[in-house]
Amino acid sequence: FYLVSDMKYQLYYWPHIQGRGEFVRLALEEGGADYVDVARLPEGEGGGRPAVVRMLEKAADGRAPFAPPILKAVKLLISQTANILHYLGPRLGLAPKAEAGRLWVHQLQLVIADLVVEAHDTHHPVAKSLYYEEQKPEALRRSENFRALRLPKFLGYFERLLEVNPGGDRHLVGNTLSYVDLSMFQVIAGLNYAFPKAMQGMSQKHSRLMALHRMVMKRPRIAAYLASKRRLPFNQNGLFRHYPELDEG
């Protein structure tokens, strides 16, 4: 048994989905960080959804976070996925040492954030407050555009980066693993779940990205995490959702 306050890092994210919190979890796991996923604890131990709600309502010198994921690192309270990873990267050995390299990794993470939003909006193109069934016609049209135009554009961009990376085509930046490699693994995993047919058709054209996905999946700490109960399965409440009709054509 341990106290939440004893942990170096405290992650606050909704306990029932991978969501954006998963990008942070992957970095913490690969970095061997001393952390606790607070909302995964029982409510009696200060966890559950109420823990996230309390953190959202807690003003930190007037700097209350807008939405999870939220990372508490000693006295710091950091929100926004890319911002959290920008902080954690150098501390976990998952970012270049030079400032130019750190900014480049951060820039790529922001592009990934754009891709994640577009993938989410295939099933919720009108409003998050509406059920999928209430916006299905718009979702069908949005997903068709995503599969035909937007997804190839994003994947093609990252495939080209792997091809021209001076450090080798196993990493997006340099010749060692960075958090953006972990995030790209998560994106490919999510897209494989949401759009298996579309991704199967694109896999050969984006062979370097598929190889990166396999490489990350085999890393000892990531493999152990993926095999554990800490890794939630993809589901129909998260960012990546599988609706067969959105994967047709």
Side-chain angles (χ1 to χ4, degrees):
F1 179 77
Y2 55 82
L3 295 174
V4 170
S5 58
D6 291 338
M7 309 303 282
K8 184 173 183 179
Y9 299 115
Q10 300 164 32
L11 174 64
Y12 290 81
Y13 196 74
W14 308 118
H16 62 295
I17 57 173
Q18 292 183 17
R20 290 176 174 84
E22 196 67 12
F23 296 95
V24 181
R25 291 188 193 102
L26 288 168
L28 291 167
E29 291 285 342
E30 173 61 28
D34 179 25
Y35 86 100
V36 59
D37 202 337
V38 179
R40 299 275 182 88
L41 297 174
E43 290 189 25
E45 296 180 20
R49 292 179 65 90
V52 181
V53 174
R54 285 194 299 270
M55 186 56 71
L56 288 171
E57 294 174 346
K58 179 182 178 182
D61 297 325
R63 300 175 183 176
F66 176 73
I70 303 161
L71 184 77
K72 190 174 187 297
V74 192
K75 295 182 179 181
L76 288 176
L77 204 62
I78 311 164
S79 187
Q80 293 294 331
T81 305
N83 198 33
I84 293 171
L85 292 173
H86 187 56
Y87 171 82
L88 285 175
R91 291 162 175 81
L92 299 179
L94 294 171
K97 294 181 179 180
E99 182 180 33
R102 292 198 304 273
L103 288 172
W104 176 230
V105 171
H106 182 55
Q107 180 175 317
L108 294 182
Q109 187 66 41
L110 291 170
V111 178
I112 286 178
D114 291 340
L115 170 53
V116 168
V117 169
E118 293 206 25
H120 169 274
D121 287 354
T122 58
H123 52 78
H124 274 71
V126 178
K128 291 183 179 180
S129 58
L130 298 175
Y131 289 109
Y132 164 68
E133 290 74 16
E134 297 177 280
Q135 48 194 317
K136 190 172 179 179
E138 294 87 353
L140 289 168
R141 187 177 181 185
R142 182 66 174 265
S143 62
E144 181 180 5
N145 178 270
F146 179 74
R147 295 192 319 269
L149 299 176
R150 300 300 293 167
L151 183 55
K153 184 171 183 177
F154 276 107
L155 295 186
Y157 171 73
F158 285 106
E159 182 75 13
R160 290 192 299 275
L161 291 183
L162 286 169
E163 183 179 4
V164 302
N165 176 26
D169 64 359
R170 296 181 72 245
H171 302 291
L172 283 163
V173 177
N175 57 8
T176 58
L177 188 83
S178 68
Y179 64 78
V180 78
D181 293 325
L182 299 172
S183 293
M184 181 51 64
F185 158 80
Q186 175 65 9
V187 166
I188 297 297
L191 291 171
N192 284 340
Y193 170 76
F195 301 99
K197 290 184 178 180
M199 289 299 289
Q200 185 176 11
M202 295 182 189
S203 60
Q204 189 171 3
K205 191 174 181 180
H206 303 92
S207 59
R208 291 178 178 83
L209 280 174
M210 302 308 123
L212 183 152
H213 174 263
R214 292 190 297 270
M215 177 272 293
V216 171
M217 187 166 54
K218 292 177 182 177
R219 292 185 66 85
R221 285 175 176 168
I222 296 299
Y225 170 63
L226 296 177
S228 74
K229 293 183 179 179
R230 299 191 303 280
R231 170 77 167 189
L232 291 176
F234 289 104
N235 57 52
Q236 297 301 82
N237 295 309
L239 293 168
F240 300 99
R241 306 185 191 184
H242 177 60
Y243 296 104
E245 61 273 18
L246 301 186
D247 192 29
E248 297 296 332

